[in-house]
Amino acid sequence: MPGSSPRGCSASPLLDNDPVINPVSEESPICSAKGCRADAVWVLAWNNPKLHTPERRKTWLACEEHREHLSQFLGVRGFLKDVVPLADWEESAADR
């Protein structure tokens, strides 16, 4: 969506908030794209180097349809650090 921006960015209507993954939640995680209620299958790990320490990772969730758009939004700003399947992300969190 040209001109769209992610949730949590003041200039950005695409996303409603900065989602937090809670692996114990009974609810299925949903896509972070504004208005999307699809189940999330991807985790986009990112950080803003002007605000966050290098090891800090914020996360957005994405369904298959919005993964590329959200990745591009973060990527052009130099924020995107990793794109991981949600199941792998949750598994690695359980290992920590």
Side-chain angles (χ1 to χ4, degrees):
M1 291 177 231
S4 296
S5 307
R7 289 186 232 194
C9 293
S10 57
S12 180
L14 183 61
L15 299 175
D16 291 335
N17 61 20
D18 189 12
V20 175
I21 299 174
N22 182 357
V24 232
S25 173
E26 292 182 24
E27 289 184 35
S28 294
I30 61 166
C31 181
S32 298
K34 185 176 182 180
C36 184
R37 303 301 298 165
D39 288 344
V41 292
W42 295 98
V43 174
L44 285 66
W46 63 278
N47 87 9
N48 179 339
K50 292 181 181 179
L51 303 175
H52 307 122
T53 58
E55 66 280 351
R56 171 104 187 256
R57 292 297 179 265
K58 307 266 299 170
T59 57
W60 285 347
L61 303 177
C63 64
E64 200 63 54
E65 179 183 350
H66 292 111
R67 182 191 60 83
E68 185 61 31
H69 177 74
L70 296 176
S71 294
Q72 286 178 354
F73 179 89
L74 292 168
V76 299
R77 289 157 179 78
F79 294 175
L80 186 63
K81 302 301 178 194
D82 207 359
V83 178
V84 181
L86 177 59
D88 293 353
W89 184 270
E90 289 176 330
E91 185 177 302
S92 71
D95 291 342
R96 287 180 252 164

